[in-house]
Amino acid sequence: MRFVRSLRFLAASIVTASMLMSASGASAAAAWPNRTIKLIVPFPPGGAADTVARVYADKLSEALKQPVVIENKAGAGTAIAAEAVAGAYPDGYTLSLAPAGQLTILPHINKEIRYDPFKSFAPISNLATVPYVLAASPDTPASTATELVAAANKDPGRLTYSSCGPGTLCHLSGELFQNQTGAKLLHVPFKGSAPAVNALLGNVVNLSFDTLTVLAPQIRDGKVKGLLVTSRERSPQLPDVPTAAEAGVSDFVVDSWFGLVAPVGTPAEIVQRLNAEIVRIGAEPDVRARLEAQGLRVTTSTPEAFTDTITADYRRWGKVIKDSGVEVF
């Protein structure tokens, strides 16, 4: 009987502790936010990701009546930032701008990362997307995608394309293009978009895949030739450049997206509050105008829809990596 009473007491204690923890969590969520919120960005200041983060951070500060400060934590292909967020206390005071590659590509190619794209984070919302552009140097003997494929098939591996780094969306866009067209190109990786585009401008490489934000100014100035954009519709920034479908390349839609995530275990009430604010902010005309001026499109969503996007792109790029034989490190 004494043993039974001890078990009953232990069970009651566990239930009581659980109730107290639940009540404490609910109380913390109700009081949130009452101090500064940190938004980690996995890139240096400047660039599309930093722009997106700062636009939303400024508006969130106004809405939540607490500072939302940016912490740029670059390195290891965005893994350093992801690991910092994954290991943070899930109280709603640490958030992260999550680029597509961080959650859908890096986990396939880097087996040393210490986060799981599905188990380490609480998705909040997609924020914005930007399509990719295929551009050619002035001396490249092709002014359309059709001419490019014909030239590549005539002499496989002779035409080169630069990317902003191995295993990035810049790189995998090139691999997907080859898969879809049968063209054989030689990949030349660089450490970032700037040197990759400089190589294109200097005719060191024939082609480059990068975001609209990066390549649109060069195309508008006539420094390089725009062959196609990877969006479903033409971009207002490059109205004369055809979509991939218009250029004869089927099923070649590539969007680089930026989303907002928190550490897994962040109270659902906080996730829902953040989502509601993000969706409202994304609908503001000045926010849309600021992002569209950079070639970005606002694409806020529910947490569930954002999770679906992550899952679909994780599978898609995993297949591209496998089919193309991209090196895993």
Side-chain angles (χ1 to χ4, degrees):
M1 290 294 295
R2 184 176 302 170
F3 177 70
V4 172
R5 285 196 297 270
S6 296
L7 285 178
R8 288 174 177 170
F9 176 77
L10 178 60
S13 298
I14 292 173
V15 170
T16 300
S18 177
M19 292 175 63
L20 287 173
M21 290 176 64
S22 177
S24 175
S27 176
W32 180 91
N34 56 20
R35 56 186 172 86
T36 298
I37 297 168
K38 179 169 61 178
L39 175 56
I40 295 177
V41 178
F43 298 102
D50 196 59
T51 296
V52 172
R54 292 181 188 279
V55 167
Y56 279 97
D58 290 346
K59 293 289 186 174
L60 271 178
S61 294
E62 296 174 9
L64 301 177
K65 296 180 171 51
Q66 292 292 338
V68 179
V69 299
I70 302 292
E71 180 178 323
N72 296 95
K73 192 179 286 290
T78 74
I80 290 176
E83 290 168 359
V85 177
Y89 189 71
D91 55 5
Y93 291 98
T94 300
L95 307 174
S96 179
L97 182 94
Q102 184 185 78
L103 301 181
T104 68
I105 294 175
L106 201 57
H108 289 292
I109 63 176
N110 187 343
K111 300 306 179 183
E112 301 300 319
I113 61 173
R114 297 187 297 274
Y115 68 88
D116 184 290
F118 302 105
K119 297 179 181 179
S120 299
F121 308 105
I124 296 169
S125 176
N126 203 324
L127 300 176
T129 62
V130 60
Y132 272 69
V133 179
L134 169 57
S137 67
D139 292 349
T140 297
S143 296
T144 67
T146 300
E147 293 174 356
L148 168 62
V149 172
N153 288 337
K154 184 177 180 180
D155 193 357
R158 182 180 67 84
L159 295 180
T160 56
Y161 79 93
S162 66
S163 80
C164 53
T168 61
L169 266 178
C170 303
H171 173 200
L172 294 184
S173 293
E175 296 295 338
L176 181 59
F177 178 83
Q178 294 178 81
N179 291 351
Q180 298 302 110
T181 64
K184 300 300 180 185
L185 308 173
L186 178 63
H187 175 223
V188 183
F190 288 84
K191 293 183 178 179
S193 291
V197 173
N198 284 337
L200 182 69
L201 293 171
N203 286 304
V204 176
V205 295
N206 301 108
L207 309 160
S208 187
F209 290 88
D210 215 310
T211 64
L212 179 74
T213 304
V214 171
L215 286 172
Q218 313 300 335
I219 295 171
R220 286 196 297 262
D221 291 345
K223 296 178 180 178
V224 297
K225 297 180 284 189
L227 304 190
L228 59 82
V229 293
T230 63
S231 49
R232 297 187 185 278
E233 299 176 350
R234 293 198 183 198
S235 167
Q237 279 73 31
L238 295 174
D240 296 328
V241 177
T243 66
E246 291 172 333
V249 185
S250 61
D251 197 25
F252 187 54
V253 176
V254 180
D255 282 322
S256 177
W257 47 256
F258 303 102
L260 185 67
V261 301
V264 69
T266 300
E269 298 91 338
I270 292 177
V271 170
Q272 291 300 328
R273 171 75 186 283
L274 281 166
N275 177 263
E277 296 294 353
I278 289 295
V279 171
R280 181 190 58 76
I281 290 168
E284 295 185 8
D286 63 320
V287 169
R288 290 181 175 271
R290 288 175 65 185
L291 294 180
E292 287 172 1
Q294 301 295 318
L296 294 147
R297 181 167 57 93
V298 172
T299 50
T300 56
S301 63
T302 64
E304 294 77 17
F306 184 31
T307 299
D308 290 343
T309 296
I310 296 168
T311 302
D313 280 4
Y314 178 86
R315 292 171 178 166
R316 182 193 194 194
W317 293 117
K319 185 177 186 305
V320 171
I321 290 166
K322 181 179 179 181
D323 291 347
S324 304
V326 174
E327 183 178 357
V328 176
F329 54 91

